Amino acid sequence: MKEKKTTAGLISRRHFLDRLTTLAQALFVTGFTFSTRLFAKSADQLPVDKLKTLIGDRVITRSDLNYEVVRQSSIWQMIKPDVYPALIVQAKSVNEVKATIKYALEGNKKISVRCGGHSYYSSFLQEDMVMLDLSYLQDVSVDKDTRTARVQPAVRSVDFLRQIAEHGFSFPAAHCGNVPLGGFLLGGGLGWNGEAWGGMSCFNIREVEVVTATGELVTADKDRNADFYWAARGAGPNFFGVVTRFTLDLYDDPAVILTTTLAWDVEMAGTVAEWLNKKAGEMPEYVEILLILADNPEQQHRSVGDKVCIVQASVFAETGEIARQALSPLSGDDMPGDWMSRNEFVPTPIADLYEWDDTAYPRLRWDVDSLWSDDGPAELVEKLVEHVKEMPSGKSSILLLWKPHTKELPEAAFSVIGSIYLACYAIWTSPDEDGINNNWVRKTMQLLEPHTKGHYINESNYVDVAARRINAFSETNRNKLKTLAMKHDPDKVFHTYLE
């Protein structure tokens, strides 16, 4: 019992510190300002006294002094859109979620759902809506007999992996440790060792608990309330309910994780991509293969601004011998010459992988877009070499993830995938540089338009670009999502990007 209280205390303390850190960023990094729009009230807004009686000061209206602090700190990155919800509700329980939905129904308000605020385009921030914030829902329990975890949506990936590792399990959680599981899973989920562990993380959802548009709590799986189960596996921001708990299938925690990292000058990127594509077919599904185009991380030893092509392959295995054998194709004599650095078979526990990722992708100003492709990666990369040299910020990068073992997709809302996933990340510090960095991302996508099969909704600009919303789903699944949304949310209580 004592241990449980200690764990709860640590979670509470971490939550407080995360909030404090984000608040400091909102106040000092972006230049905190008050807008006269903060205090605007909608004519049809119902009194919130009843809701405040139930939930307390976690119901924040525009007239509350802490409204703008809460609004800005709800956003993960440093770009704070000029968008103002009518009300922000920080729910701590299923009953509080139900009460918020009832309030929205009575007041004829729409609801947008925030889990952890990691949406690159702050899609949860909608003008004059009720923003339902789930960030307090962080409970995790593990059932060793069924090899499952019951987890609430706001649990961060790094914390989830740490907790289930204590029971000998792992899961394809998000590559960025700060990403909560809720939105990550709803949008599909590209996770660690995904090829070996389900393909997409959402396919490991066994059941979900959902509060519907009428405020009813239902449990959904393949046999019960199957519409919600189908949609929870890939609908992303188009989900017509609020998931308050997932039941997830777990995997044995790998005894060994080794990483090989190789680097060349960016001029070699096409040759390297072609070589790596051949090697991908020789390596088992439990090897994760990345190619990254970025600034030279050791450029203090070279001329400033040099761009490099980095290959990073991580293997998740039962023994060191199996791991080394799996990575061995990257150590052959046919490796492209003139490499800059070569670091092979490095023991890399998941904590180290997360430390690298958090360092590479800081909380600054972001623009992100992505695509799926079945074309040869060398063809894609060769189109990007000169473009990468024009990258406005040295913190930015373009990443290719190989998925050579992708199988036929199961019955789920997630329905578009390719053998290559490509994501463009622009990261910078000054608001004065917004335009040039935004344009660089747009040009990346334009260059690769002929090779684009579809888009991954979790890392695409579906807020501003209609094509991203459409091409994240097959036509059949997109139409099914619309039909199910009309069936289960006919009054359109929940904000959606369905057209």
Side-chain angles (χ1 to χ4, degrees):
M1 192 67 176
K2 184 176 181 181
E3 182 180 350
K4 289 184 179 179
K5 287 183 179 178
T6 302
T7 302
L10 288 173
I11 292 173
S12 176
R13 172 177 166 78
R14 183 181 58 247
H15 186 78
F16 170 77
L17 290 174
D18 282 349
R19 291 265 175 175
L20 191 62
T21 299
T22 308
L23 171 59
Q25 292 172 329
L27 290 172
F28 300 114
V29 177
T30 62
F32 184 80
T33 57
F34 283 101
S35 166
T36 55
R37 293 179 60 198
L38 303 184
F39 305 103
K41 292 185 179 180
S42 301
D44 61 346
Q45 185 175 344
L46 285 177
V48 297
D49 293 349
K50 185 177 180 181
L51 195 60
K52 284 198 171 189
T53 299
L54 291 171
I55 300 177
D57 60 4
R58 288 176 285 107
V59 176
I60 301 110
T61 68
R62 288 188 185 180
S63 59
D64 288 329
L65 293 178
N66 63 334
Y67 173 89
E68 182 63 353
V69 172
V70 174
R71 188 191 76 89
Q72 289 200 31
S73 64
S74 72
I75 302 165
W76 168 79
Q77 65 151 308
M78 291 299 104
I79 295 178
K80 314 292 183 180
D82 192 24
V83 179
Y84 297 86
L87 194 70
I88 299 172
V89 181
Q90 300 168 328
K92 280 189 174 182
S93 68
V94 172
N95 285 338
E96 291 184 355
V97 171
K98 290 180 178 180
T100 304
I101 292 174
K102 182 178 179 181
Y103 167 82
L105 285 169
E106 292 175 349
N108 194 31
K109 287 290 184 184
K110 291 178 72 70
I111 290 176
S112 63
V113 181
R114 175 190 185 270
C115 180
H118 212 281
S119 165
Y120 292 111
Y121 291 95
S122 304
S123 60
F124 52 85
L125 205 65
Q126 297 295 327
E127 189 71 29
D128 204 34
M129 293 189 189
V130 177
M131 187 179 93
L132 177 55
D133 184 352
L134 306 180
S135 58
Y136 282 98
L137 300 184
Q138 298 188 30
D139 181 62
V140 176
S141 62
V142 175
D143 188 327
K144 295 192 72 170
D145 293 333
T146 61
R147 297 173 61 85
T148 60
R150 285 168 50 79
V151 56
Q152 290 187 310
V155 177
R156 299 189 311 165
S157 292
V158 63
D159 299 325
F160 179 58
L161 290 189
R162 185 184 299 118
Q163 291 181 62
I164 64 176
E166 295 175 1
H167 301 274
F169 294 118
S170 194
F171 184 81
H175 289 81
C176 179
N178 287 319
V179 172
L181 290 173
F184 171 73
L185 290 169
L186 284 174
L190 275 168
W192 290 113
N193 201 27
E195 286 288 83
W197 290 342
M200 297 297 292
S201 301
C202 69
F203 299 148
N204 296 297
I205 298 174
R206 186 175 294 193
E207 69 176 30
V208 287
E209 293 178 6
V210 180
V211 181
T212 69
T214 59
E216 177 188 5
L217 179 67
V218 301
T219 299
D221 57 25
K222 63 180 182 179
D223 299 315
R224 299 171 294 170
N225 300 301
D227 290 349
F228 290 97
Y229 177 68
W230 179 88
R233 303 200 301 167
N238 302 310
F239 188 69
F240 37 84
V242 180
V243 176
T244 55
R245 193 177 300 272
F246 298 88
T247 300
L248 304 175
D249 290 321
L250 303 179
Y251 297 86
D252 289 334
D253 197 21
V256 177
I257 304 175
L258 300 182
T259 298
T260 288
T261 304
L262 313 167
W264 291 261
D265 187 278
V266 74
E267 294 289 353
M268 290 286 294
T271 300
V272 172
E274 185 174 5
W275 168 77
L276 187 59
N277 198 44
K278 294 177 182 177
K279 295 301 176 181
E282 301 174 14
M283 291 185 282
E285 61 183 3
Y286 47 87
V287 176
E288 181 168 300
I289 306 165
L290 297 173
L291 184 148
I292 304 166
L293 306 177
D295 253 26
N296 181 3
E298 299 181 358
Q299 62 181 248
Q300 63 267 27
H301 303 304
R302 299 162 59 83
S303 60
V304 175
D306 282 334
K307 302 298 186 288
V308 293
C309 166
I310 300 170
V311 169
Q312 185 179 73
S314 299
V315 58
F316 302 75
E318 298 175 5
T319 69
E321 182 180 356
I322 293 174
R324 292 179 70 90
Q325 182 62 34
L327 288 176
S328 63
L330 299 182
S331 299
D333 294 336
D334 61 342
M335 177 178 163
D338 297 325
W339 48 268
M340 294 166 49
S341 64
R342 184 172 180 172
N343 206 6
E344 300 178 298
F345 310 120
V346 178
T348 319
I350 195 70
D352 289 357
L353 288 174
Y354 273 136
E355 183 179 357
W356 173 86
D357 200 81
D358 289 342
T359 300
Y361 301 108
R363 294 190 184 194
L364 298 173
R365 303 179 75 82
W366 283 69
D367 191 0
V368 176
D369 219 334
S370 67
L371 61 87
W372 295 106
S373 182
D374 284 331
D375 290 348
E379 189 175 1
L380 276 64
V381 168
E382 286 171 352
K383 282 194 171 184
L384 295 173
V385 170
E386 295 303 317
H387 179 60
V388 168
K389 294 177 183 178
E390 300 171 359
M391 189 168 65
S393 170
K395 298 176 177 63
S396 303
S397 63
I398 296 176
L399 175 149
L400 282 77
L401 170 68
W402 266 249
K403 292 189 73 68
H405 304 284
T406 297
K407 304 174 180 65
E408 183 177 348
L409 297 177
E411 183 61 21
F414 185 90
S415 46
V416 177
I417 199 168
S419 58
I420 292 292
Y421 173 70
L422 186 144
C424 179
Y425 304 102
I427 310 168
W428 66 102
T429 56
S430 172
D432 296 336
E433 299 171 347
D434 287 359
I436 191 171
N437 282 281
N438 295 150
N439 290 336
W440 182 75
V441 174
R442 301 290 86 77
K443 185 176 179 181
T444 305
M445 304 309 291
Q446 291 169 5
L447 286 170
L448 298 176
E449 181 63 31
H451 306 283
T452 300
K453 180 180 181 181
H455 300 279
Y456 174 46
I457 202 160
N458 276 357
E459 292 193 323
S460 290
N461 187 4
Y462 59 85
V463 172
D464 300 321
V465 186
R468 304 296 183 266
R469 312 168 200 167
I470 296 170
N471 297 330
F473 307 97
S474 67
E475 183 177 1
T476 298
N477 284 31
R478 187 169 63 252
N479 290 334
K480 182 175 179 177
L481 263 178
K482 292 179 183 178
T483 300
L484 293 181
M486 286 299 298
K487 175 183 176 182
H488 295 288
D489 185 14
D491 296 326
K492 299 184 178 179
V493 175
F494 297 111
H495 176 259
T496 178
Y497 289 91
L498 292 171
E499 297 181 348

